[in-house]
Amino acid sequence: MQSKYPNRKAVEKIQQSNRILLVTHIKPDGDAVGSLLGLGLALQESGRQVQMVIEDGIPLSLRRLTGSDQIRKKAEGEFDLVIVVDCSDLGRVGKALDGKPAPDINIDHHITNEEFAELNLVDAHAVATAEIIYALLNDLELSLTPPVAAALLTGLITDTLGFRTSNVRPETFYLVARLMETSVDLPELYRRALVSRSFEAVKFWSFGLAKLEQADRLVWTSLTMNDRRAANYPGRDDADLINVLSSIDEMDVSMIFVEQPNGNIKVSWRAQPGFDVAVVAKEFGGGGHAAAAGAEIPGAMQEVQDKALERTRLALTGGRHV
Ligand code: AMP
Ligand code: MN
Ligand code: MN
């Protein structure tokens, strides 16, 4: 498959480098980890030293991907190339790059990407960062091993919610077919990425579902630190409850408010095609895609809910452009 990305400069830079640092966003999802591992393992195969860093480490559900045990929480040593994957802005990497050189290459697919690196491989039409990584590996003429293919497929499966998002195109399936040819187990990767969940996760949902509200085609709920403790749920995220909310027929936009250990409120938005919640998230210092966006907002739960709901309602009713 011929690459459509302007990767020549990135290829040159990578070919001239030997000690490469790869980082991705805090609270990593399947695309963050899959893109990091897909690129990292392929570069290691080519004989380069690669360090892969995620400030938060990696969630249990992704630990069966080959190479995940190499991912560390802090970068150590010197590097001649720094690559950031699946991050719309540098704040999203947390402290992973503290004391390290500014990023050389930024590989991402968020519409809100701030093009913060010297070289920016950003394509908002890509369904996942893993799609851009695949094209780059192709241009680098690196071999597609089963662990690399499994990592990239995990990225594609998670960010498309199992090929259900409106940005999925015929090319997505050509890419999936090419990755499957390495004999990776697609149903098993799919099950691990999207289907299997812990008892504690579903118990955590029950607290959010009990508080579910709706008004004007907007559906929302909240999860507090108390809910988290009561459910014994270990993550700082919403355990994917937002995807249950966005399956509700009566909604154009769904939102979830998740209290964080630092007192901030993490807000997630999901929208039906035709709405753009990235614009709203960006106003609150976050970002994302038209159909899925997030922001971490300081303030008390009720205050953040009032502000974010009001702004989102305005966007929904066309009071401001979306
Ligand atoms: P989430 O609601 O966390 O699943 O995120 C939905 C989308 O928004 C993902 O593409 C995230 O990368 C992006 N996103 C979430 N939180 C932030 C943030 N604080 N800043 C920028 N982008 C974000
Ligand atoms: Mn991501
Ligand atoms: Mn992504």
Side-chain angles (χ1 to χ4, degrees):
M1 218 182 295
Q2 193 61 37
S3 161
K4 64 190 175 73
Y5 300 105
N7 289 338
R8 191 179 50 80
K9 281 193 190 146
V11 166
E12 276 169 21
K13 261 185 184 294
I14 292 170
Q15 280 172 343
Q16 288 157 9
S17 307
N18 277 308
R19 285 166 307 166
I20 304 177
L21 173 60
L22 298 183
V23 299
T24 187
H25 62 81
I26 50 173
K27 292 190 207 144
D29 49 32
D31 190 30
V33 174
S35 297
L36 194 78
L37 284 174
L39 182 58
L41 295 177
L43 290 173
Q44 282 177 348
E45 290 258 335
S46 72
R48 291 176 172 80
Q49 282 179 40
V50 178
Q51 218 176 87
M52 295 177 275
V53 176
I54 308 178
E55 190 194 323
D56 286 335
I58 93 162
L60 264 176
S61 59
L62 296 166
R63 288 201 191 146
R64 281 167 66 185
L65 286 172
T66 304
S68 64
D69 54 338
Q70 291 185 42
I71 295 177
R72 31 165 105 208
K73 295 185 174 178
K74 210 171 173 316
E76 301 280 350
E78 303 285 313
F79 302 94
D80 51 21
L81 189 74
V82 178
I83 304 179
V84 179
V85 300
D86 200 42
C87 287
S88 54
D89 62 86
L90 268 182
R92 292 279 286 156
V93 303
K95 298 193 191 79
L97 284 179
D98 279 7
K100 300 292 162 208
D104 300 283
I105 308 179
N106 155 25
I107 307 175
D108 186 38
H109 67 131
H110 292 97
I111 197 159
T112 53
N113 191 284
E114 293 181 356
E115 310 220 323
F116 50 80
E118 196 189 324
L119 210 61
N120 300 287
L121 304 185
V122 179
D123 179 5
H125 296 292
V127 295
T129 297
E131 181 178 343
I132 312 176
I133 302 280
Y134 174 84
L136 181 62
L137 296 184
N138 221 28
D139 286 358
L140 282 161
E141 294 176 13
L142 296 181
S143 59
L144 197 63
T145 61
V148 169
L152 297 180
L153 256 177
T154 298
L156 292 171
I157 293 167
T158 358
D159 267 20
T160 61
L161 305 175
F163 312 108
R164 289 191 291 122
T165 52
S166 61
N167 54 358
V168 168
R169 314 175 313 281
E171 296 89 84
T172 318
F173 293 102
Y174 292 131
L175 177 52
V176 171
R178 175 70 196 93
L179 295 170
M180 274 186 87
E181 278 167 2
T182 65
S183 54
V184 292
D185 188 345
L186 178 70
E188 176 58 12
L189 292 174
Y190 194 109
R191 193 190 63 78
R192 280 193 238 148
L194 295 176
V195 182
S196 109
R197 52 184 99 255
S198 66
F199 177 84
E200 286 79 12
V202 179
K203 184 87 187 157
F204 193 34
W205 287 4
S206 71
F207 294 93
L209 290 172
K211 290 179 267 180
L212 193 61
E213 295 194 63
Q214 65 166 332
D216 309 325
R217 300 196 59 81
L218 187 62
V219 164
W220 73 93
T221 194
S222 61
L223 289 164
T224 63
M225 290 296 290
N226 272 339
D227 297 337
R228 202 182 114 177
R229 273 187 289 271
N232 204 16
Y233 180 71
R236 285 189 284 148
D237 53 45
D238 68 340
D240 284 337
L241 178 58
I242 190 70
N243 290 323
V244 179
L245 268 52
S246 60
S247 69
I248 297 173
D249 275 343
E250 290 81 5
M251 79 102 199
D252 287 330
V253 173
S254 55
M255 292 172 75
I256 194 159
F257 299 86
V258 186
E259 190 182 8
Q260 298 294 299
N262 65 6
N264 289 350
I265 307 296
K266 165 69 200 291
V267 186
S268 288
W269 284 263
R270 297 292 184 272
Q272 299 284 10
F275 295 90
D276 182 357
V277 285
V279 179
V280 185
K282 183 120 180 127
E283 281 183 22
F284 288 102
H289 313 279
E296 195 165 312
I297 308 178
M301 178 63 91
Q302 195 57 51
E303 175 203 339
V304 171
Q305 277 198 31
D306 291 346
K307 269 197 303 200
L309 284 167
E310 190 197 326
R311 174 61 193 96
T312 308
R313 259 203 206 106
L314 208 61
L316 263 167
T317 52
R320 300 259 301 269
H321 73 282
V322 282

